[in-house]
Amino acid sequence: MTVTELGRADGAHGEVALRRRTAEDGATHLELVVDGVFAMDDVDTSTEQALATQALARCPGDGLRVLVGGLGLGWTAATALADPRVAAVDVAELQGPLVEWAGRGLLPALPSGDERLTLHVTDVADHLAASAGRHDAVLLDVDNGPAFLVHEANAGLYSEAGLATAVAALRPGGVLAIWSSDPAPELADRLTGLPDVVDVEHLVLPVERDGRRYDYAIVLARRTGAPA
Ligand SMILES: C[S@@+](CC[C@H](N)C(=O)[O-])C[C@H]1O[C@@H](n2cnc3c(N)ncnc32)[C@H](O)[C@@H]1O
């Protein structure tokens, strides 16, 4: 296998690197490493896509506004854009270089020239705090899960206060969805205990990689109230 570095940058939030792996048989895959921690590759992006499809399946109507926390390789955002009912996708991404690489077409999953897409270089926690009542769906995939953080500072996102801020960023009836590399029943319980939250679900999504089974998970919750 050969590894080609497509981008590497060091910034306020540590190092970010985008690499292409080429196997002996010529198959290629992209991988993203954030602050020395493997964040993801594109060997199987079914659960990153499911983060969008599962949340949007629970959002009636059209003209939907979606916030994606964490650009990564762009699969969740691209899947949201593939839904014609979606009017706007805002992506909050901490790593400026990654957003720049997306602009240069280095993330092939992301459609180019889709005017519904806006990439923001920001901490998603700040974006959520400034977005009260704005979104029909908030899709969070900024860590390998609440129990395996890429940045320690992200712990606050999964606290009761952080989750309440994410719920408050939803319109009435909107849906919060959080990706995790492991089942996260405690996260589901914490959401269930919050005011203004109903319909908490914990989906376990098995994925086979290299002959091993991984149980990824998506936790969903709805803000109370009827959609407008
Ligand atoms: C696992 S990747 C997201 C994968 C994405 N769902 C996809 O489909 O490709 C996590 C991303 O979240 C970003 N990130 C981590 N902490 C963040 C934060 N607090 N605010 C915004 N982005 C963050 C990382 O830089 C990385 O790009």
Side-chain angles (χ1 to χ4, degrees):
M1 183 176 61
T2 56
V3 177
T4 309
E5 199 161 83
L6 302 177
R8 174 188 288 271
D10 224 343
H13 300 287
E15 190 180 66
V16 57
L18 181 66
R19 302 179 185 145
R20 186 195 300 119
R21 298 195 307 259
T22 306
E24 308 296 319
D25 64 0
T28 62
H29 287 290
L30 281 183
E31 82 179 21
L32 182 67
V33 179
V34 177
D35 212 6
V37 180
F38 172 82
M40 73 176 297
D41 62 21
D42 61 1
V43 171
D44 183 333
T45 59
S46 58
T47 60
E48 286 85 0
Q49 295 180 62
L51 184 64
T53 53
Q54 291 288 344
L56 289 170
R58 290 160 176 76
C59 294
D62 51 20
L64 302 175
R65 301 189 60 91
V66 179
L67 173 65
V68 178
L71 174 61
L73 298 178
W75 285 93
T76 303
T79 305
L81 289 165
D83 186 328
R85 300 176 304 131
V86 168
V89 174
D90 287 284
V91 178
E93 168 57 47
L94 204 54
Q95 297 285 353
L98 187 56
V99 170
E100 192 214 313
W101 299 334
R104 285 170 32 203
L106 293 179
L107 306 184
L110 265 192
S112 64
D114 191 323
E115 291 182 354
R116 295 174 300 160
L117 176 65
T118 309
L119 304 180
H120 307 265
V121 178
T122 182
D123 190 320
V124 71
D126 296 336
H127 199 89
L128 286 165
S131 304
R134 192 175 298 170
H135 298 287
D136 296 286
V138 169
L139 315 177
L140 289 184
D141 178 12
V142 292
D143 293 296
N144 287 323
F148 183 2
L149 303 178
V150 172
H151 299 292
E152 279 308 316
N154 284 346
L157 282 171
Y158 311 103
S159 67
E160 281 186 18
L163 294 170
T165 302
V167 170
L170 293 166
R171 289 174 172 170
V175 174
L176 168 66
I178 302 175
W179 190 95
S180 174
S181 60
D182 290 295
E186 310 79 14
L187 179 64
D189 288 347
R190 209 168 301 139
L191 279 162
T192 304
L194 290 181
D196 300 330
V197 169
V198 290
D199 299 341
V200 176
E201 296 172 74
H202 180 225
L203 310 181
V204 176
L205 306 175
V207 167
E208 282 267 324
R209 279 187 63 135
D210 307 324
R212 258 188 79 184
R213 174 184 154 137
Y214 295 84
D215 282 339
Y216 298 149
I218 294 175
V219 178
L220 298 133
R222 182 185 300 285
R223 183 177 178 180
T224 51

